[in-house]
Amino acid sequence: MAGETVDFEAFYKRWYLRAIRFALEYIRDESEAENIVQEVFVNMFDRRKSLSKDINLTYYLFSSVKNRCINYLNNKLRQRSVSMSGDEADLADRLSLLALEDFDVTVTAREDLETRLNEALSVLPPRCRQIFSMSKIEGKKQTDIAGELGVSINTVESQMKIAYIKLREELKDLVK
Amino acid sequence: MSMDERENISFRQIRALMALRESDGDDPDKNWRGFVFRRRCSSFFRAAVRVAPLLLAVVLAAGIFYLPPRTSALEGDSLPYLTTSAPAGHMAACVLPDGTEVKLNANSKLTYPALFGDERKVYLEGEAFFDVTSDKSCPFIVSTDKLEVKALGTKFNISDYKNDNFVVSLLEGSVFLYQDGMEETGLYLNPNEQLVESEGGYVKKMFVQDPAMWVNGFYSFNNNTMEYILSKLELYYDVRIVVLNGPLLNKTYTGKFRQTDGAREILRIMSRIYPFTVREDESSNTIYIQ
């Protein structure tokens, strides 16, 4: 792929898995998240020659992933609303939709993003950081973490909350 | 929204941000090999689709009735794409599979699928005039570097040359403009309105001068600055024009030229209104104005 305007391979390697993790935060379905991200990359690959150098590719990537996730959640909610709206899964998806719509994609284009995130994490006390890093998708696996570390679920919950609050303080210019 | 929900959302944003960090178990090489493999499979499928019409013709020649698969089943990435392009100094025209007529201005390129699926999506570089065949069930979308233009059975002109401002002008009907993937933030144009890129944003305005005059082989300027006109000539004729007389750039001109005249002749005619000399260096494809 030498000589092309965009080094697609490097771009793909850097962002593919991160984009999937990002999508998973909202749509909680691994194969769907993978499908969405894969489609976006295929689309970008096909258009790589017409993608101008002025477009920030990371911004383009995450805008597309965000929009496809929003469409996915909207469709899911629309289909479900016929049968049973207001149940727990429905509420979770609605919240995901709100959270995703609120996510400001421009931060993905920041050169210093990874440094900033790592710096913010390094501010957390070690135990708190460990628990935060182990936690998977919201509301799940807290019992697993508690079991693994030999602490109570309450401890995990309170440490998570401390982590969030500290991180939000550290990253306040990036989070709405 | 309750406090809890508000808090939940801001925590979710932190989680989403953290998802953008590199993670320990990542094996990007493996994923890339998977991607390349899938691309290869799909290009094989593409090749298969390319020979399909030929096979169909053979089957029909044998007098056997055969219903082709619905085009929607083949839509998207798997279709062969066709390209029509107009070199510098020339125009081109083509009729798309749905009957839509497209005129391409100089230095422009249109890429479109050999068959349309549930949507009619084409890719434009440069400038083109579209007379879209109406089909409400199947939106017609022109995808450009800057914006997506969705047409609803209309006549419109798009100018998206590199190094020039993006302009969409609507002559008849209605078009909807949006950034790829951000359809919810789009806007409509009414006839005689155009959307012009300006200082990083876009402005909607009415146009007076027919933006598609070029379709009939004319380049027309109406009280435009020399700077603007020269930038257009550079695009249309793929030459470099160097002005050695700075104040000239702010002079304004009104005039109509034949596209076949060429940049040098147009400049020569213009030099009668406000005198300047034209010198051409063919080896470097540059015209000097003094």
Side-chain angles (χ1 to χ4, degrees):
Chain A
M1 226 176 287
E4 283 181 0
T5 36
V6 173
D7 184 352
F8 195 82
E9 183 176 345
F11 177 73
Y12 184 94
K13 285 180 178 175
R14 178 167 171 83
W15 291 107
Y16 177 70
L17 286 168
R18 299 175 207 219
I20 288 182
R21 281 197 290 274
F22 175 84
L24 260 181
E25 285 294 334
Y26 298 99
I27 62 175
R28 299 158 197 243
D29 176 330
E30 271 183 54
S31 66
E32 262 321 316
E34 206 170 305
N35 274 343
I36 285 173
V37 172
Q38 195 68 251
E39 267 177 40
V40 171
F41 272 107
V42 166
N43 199 346
M44 288 180 80
F45 182 78
D46 288 345
R47 298 191 61 188
R48 67 195 183 284
K49 285 187 183 124
S50 60
L51 287 174
S52 107
K53 272 195 167 156
D54 309 332
I55 310 178
N56 185 298
L57 286 182
T58 318
Y59 178 80
Y60 188 100
L61 167 69
F62 282 97
S63 304
S64 309
V65 170
K66 172 179 167 172
N67 282 298
R68 280 177 194 244
C69 288
I70 287 177
N71 290 344
Y72 169 81
L73 287 171
N74 270 327
N75 277 337
K76 207 169 145 203
L77 285 166
R78 204 173 305 134
Q79 281 165 13
R80 208 191 286 123
S81 67
V82 190
S83 49
M84 42 172 190
S85 61
D87 70 344
E88 230 171 85
D90 195 79
L91 229 63
D93 282 340
R94 274 177 208 288
L95 216 51
S96 291
L97 193 57
L98 284 176
L100 184 54
E101 280 169 345
D102 233 27
F103 186 85
D104 177 10
V105 184
T106 52
V107 303
T108 62
R110 288 176 67 123
E111 292 283 338
D112 64 342
L113 181 66
E114 189 138 16
T115 323
R116 286 292 311 281
L117 297 176
N118 287 331
E119 277 168 11
L121 274 179
S122 71
V123 171
L124 300 180
R127 202 10 118 54
C128 182
R129 185 163 66 234
Q130 186 185 17
I131 289 175
F132 179 80
S133 308
M134 285 171 80
S135 76
K136 288 275 177 313
I137 300 159
E138 179 98 3
K140 280 184 198 163
K141 314 270 187 190
Q142 295 212 343
T143 46
D144 294 349
I145 299 172
E148 219 169 295
L149 298 177
V151 295
S152 73
I153 293 179
N154 278 340
T155 310
V156 175
E157 272 179 10
S158 62
Q159 289 295 314
M160 285 296 289
K161 184 132 190 181
I162 291 171
Y164 281 134
I165 288 166
K166 287 210 167 182
L167 290 173
R168 185 166 59 185
E169 182 54 30
E170 289 299 316
L171 300 170
K172 60 174 176 243
D173 57 319
L174 302 183
V175 183
K176 275 186 198 164
Chain B
M1 197 186 301
S2 71
M3 271 299 286
D4 275 359
E5 276 178 354
R6 192 61 253 170
E7 188 157 79
N8 181 303
I9 285 177
S10 91
F11 290 170
R12 297 283 293 269
Q13 299 214 357
I14 289 165
R15 299 194 57 86
L17 278 177
M18 289 301 170
L20 303 177
R21 292 170 60 241
E22 188 171 11
S23 185
D24 296 339
D26 289 1
D27 181 359
D29 289 319
K30 182 174 151 232
N31 290 303
W32 174 248
R33 285 194 296 276
F35 182 77
V36 171
F37 178 70
R38 271 188 299 273
R39 293 310 301 158
R40 218 168 277 150
C41 293
S42 98
S43 47
F44 171 76
F45 183 62
R46 242 179 256 212
V49 171
R50 208 169 291 139
V51 299
L54 200 79
L55 286 175
L56 181 61
V58 171
V59 171
L60 282 174
I64 300 164
F65 286 98
Y66 172 73
L67 284 174
R70 258 190 72 82
T71 52
S72 60
L74 298 170
E75 57 132 352
D77 295 313
S78 348
L79 275 175
Y81 277 79
L82 306 175
T83 299
T84 301
S85 49
H90 295 274
M91 293 177 185
C94 62
V95 177
L96 302 184
D98 64 334
T100 292
E101 289 174 31
V102 185
K103 302 251 163 52
L104 282 170
N105 203 343
N107 241 335
S108 305
K109 189 169 108 179
L110 186 77
T111 304
Y112 54 96
L115 282 171
F116 286 124
D118 335 332
E119 64 172 23
R120 299 174 283 172
K121 192 161 192 169
V122 301
Y123 299 90
L124 174 69
E125 291 166 39
E127 180 163 18
F129 176 80
F130 293 87
D131 185 349
V132 177
T133 304
S134 179
D135 178 357
K136 292 218 165 73
S137 66
C138 184
F140 187 92
I141 299 163
V142 185
S143 184
T144 71
D145 257 12
K146 305 270 168 51
L147 293 179
E148 310 283 299
V149 181
K150 191 194 272 187
L152 316 153
T154 61
K155 293 184 180 167
F156 60 99
N157 191 74
I158 301 179
S159 173
D160 183 27
Y161 283 110
K162 293 205 167 62
N163 313 319
D164 192 24
N165 284 336
F166 177 82
V167 185
V168 183
S169 316
L170 181 66
L171 288 97
E172 269 177 35
S174 169
V175 288
F176 181 67
L177 313 170
Y178 57 98
Q179 271 172 325
D180 192 17
M182 289 185 258
E183 212 159 327
E184 59 280 5
T185 58
L187 61 88
Y188 285 93
L189 285 187
N190 292 316
N192 298 318
E193 281 181 346
Q194 60 185 184
L195 191 77
V196 183
E197 186 183 27
S198 143
E199 288 162 12
Y202 294 95
V203 207
K204 193 154 117 171
K205 51 183 165 193
M206 304 289 285
F207 57 80
V208 193
Q209 224 173 318
D210 181 357
M213 190 91 86
W214 63 267
V215 169
N216 302 317
F218 293 103
Y219 289 138
S220 132
F221 302 103
N222 188 357
N223 213 19
N224 292 116
T225 62
M226 187 81 171
E227 187 177 14
Y228 173 87
I229 296 172
L230 295 183
S231 73
K232 287 289 179 195
L233 294 181
E234 284 188 322
L235 283 174
Y236 295 151
Y237 296 103
D238 204 20
V239 288
R240 208 158 72 89
I241 301 176
V242 177
V243 178
L244 302 167
N245 172 2
L248 203 59
L249 289 174
N250 299 321
K251 295 281 172 198
T252 57
Y253 282 92
T254 298
K256 194 165 142 189
F257 304 98
R258 232 171 256 289
Q259 184 262 335
T260 49
D261 288 346
R264 203 192 148 92
E265 176 65 10
I266 291 176
L267 288 170
R268 205 184 53 76
I269 297 168
M270 286 171 67
S271 74
R272 291 202 201 137
I273 305 165
Y274 182 81
F276 55 81
T277 60
V278 180
R279 186 162 57 84
E280 194 168 3
D281 178 5
E282 275 183 33
S283 63
S284 65
N285 193 27
T286 306
I287 299 175
Y288 294 92
I289 290 178
Q290 200 160 10

